[in-house]
Amino acid sequence: MHTRISKANLLAPCIGLVVCMTIILFCADNAKSALQILFTGAFSSAYYFGTFLNVAAFLITAGTGSAIALKSGNMNLGGEGQIYAGGFFACLILTGVKGNPILVFLLACTVSILSGACLSLISACLKEAKGASVLLTSFLVSAATIPLIDSAITNSKQGPSQNLLALPYIPEAFRFKSILPPSPLTGTLFIALALSACTAYIMFKTNAGKKLIIWGLAPSFAEYSGFSKAANSFASLAVSGALHSLTGLFAVCGTYFTCHKGFYSGMGWNALTVALVAGANPLYIILSALVLSWLYTSADIVSLTQGFSFDIGGIVQGVVLFTIALSVLKRGESR
């Protein structure tokens, strides 16, 4: 599937903002104050500003993974399960393996990244062997993975002090330090930016990247040109899954310090939204992630500070994703 930046893509965040403002006007006790918080809340304190950038770091990392799959002609809908798996295996190793902290952390990183890559490779195998749709199989694999991890977390309880909803907290040695206390912002933001820039270079400046783009633009031409279909599917989906699971590791080591049920919720879909809004361009993903992170974070701040009985942020996320989905569907039907 080839993606490009369309007017509908750019309008999606605007529609989400309008919906958020409409909810505030009709439901807030003090609409003027709520609207002010919506536009300035993310910049009102070090905590909120750091949270906004921290969410953007997650969206850039996982969104880059989604962009790679999209550019190759695939749509990876398994981001939620891949992020969850990455965080789960990272936490499991960091809390269960004893030894040199550097070696243990490297082992956790390796296993975490491989977990997402392996999950996405299932879809690649099914595509090459049976012609199955990656869009469908990636979603189904993710849907099957999430309850398995939930069950593993529950069954890992070894004593009354351990929570049924989470693994034990990782040791202090493995926790990323905040660069903007008291917010959860860590150096992962710079790693995310570097990953996006490196992906853009590989995608647009190397032969391998250009072949990947051709597969997304004109698969028949790529096949007639002798480009390996299997190599495109396996490589792009493996890297896509790896970046999603790396996002899970970032969340565990930098924000939550444990793997709890549901920490991944919304991350995978929001990352896909970021990639679609950006037209799957890794550089545009940075701007897209910042805009959507601001919108989602601001909506959450309004919900928290204005005493709403429902989650505005979740509604806004759904509206933005639905708008993007309609845009993609419309372009697909017009071909």
Side-chain angles (χ1 to χ4, degrees), residues 1-3 67-73 203 212-213 215-216 279-281:
M1 175 184 296
H2 172 53
T3 57
I68 291 171
L70 287 167
K71 279 293 188 184
S72 70
M203 189 176 289
L212 179 143
I213 293 174
W215 271 110
N281 186 314

Side-chain angles (χ1 to χ4, degrees), residues 266-314:
M267 284 190 190
W269 295 111
N270 290 340
L272 179 60
T273 303
V274 164
L276 289 169
V277 170
N281 186 314
L283 293 180
Y284 294 160
I285 278 175
I286 297 173
L287 179 59
S288 173
L290 288 171
V291 171
L292 290 177
S293 176
W294 164 78
L295 179 58
Y296 299 155
T297 303
S298 297
D300 287 339
I301 295 173
V302 171
S303 292
L304 289 171
T305 58
Q306 299 299 304
F308 279 89
S309 60
F310 54 91
D311 180 16
I312 299 179

Side-chain angles (χ1 to χ4, degrees), residues 114-179:
L114 287 176
S115 66
C118 289
L119 287 175
S120 60
L121 283 175
I122 295 174
S123 297
C125 289
L126 291 173
K127 176 183 178 181
E128 295 305 314
K130 301 294 183 180
S133 167
V134 170
L135 184 149
L136 177 61
T137 58
S138 60
F139 175 78
L140 292 176
V141 170
S142 175
T145 299
I146 289 172
L148 289 176
I149 297 177
D150 285 343
S151 177
I153 290 175
T154 300
N155 293 332
S156 68
K157 188 178 189 310
Q158 298 176 351
S161 62
Q162 186 174 331
N163 196 323
L164 286 170
L165 301 178
L167 293 177
Y169 283 96
I170 63 175
E172 290 281 348
F174 302 120
R175 299 183 184 185
F176 299 160
K177 303 301 180 183
S178 172
I179 61 175

Side-chain angles (χ1 to χ4, degrees), residues 1 62-76 82 116-125 127-128 134 199 202-203 208-209 211-213 215-216 228-244:
M1 175 184 296
T64 301
S66 293
I68 291 171
L70 287 167
K71 279 293 188 184
S72 70
N74 300 290
M75 182 175 280
N76 179 10
Q82 292 155 16
C118 289
L119 287 175
S120 60
L121 283 175
I122 295 174
S123 297
C125 289
K127 176 183 178 181
E128 295 305 314
V134 170
T199 300
I202 293 171
M203 189 176 289
K211 288 180 180 179
L212 179 143
I213 293 174
W215 271 110
S228 174
K229 181 181 177 184
N232 174 69
S233 298
F234 281 95
S236 61
L237 288 172
V239 175
S240 177
L243 288 175
H244 278 91

Side-chain angles (χ1 to χ4, degrees), residues 206-225:
T206 68
N207 288 332
K210 291 174 182 177
K211 288 180 180 179
L212 179 143
I213 293 174
I214 292 173
W215 271 110
L217 281 171
S220 297
F221 176 80
E223 191 170 1
Y224 290 139
S225 298

Side-chain angles (χ1 to χ4, degrees), residues 27 34 61 77 94 97 113 133 166 174 229 238 262-263 280 291 298 311 316:
C27 301
T61 306
L77 296 188
L94 294 176
V97 178
I113 290 171
S133 167
F174 302 120
K229 181 181 177 184
F263 85 83
V291 171
S298 297
D311 180 16
V316 173

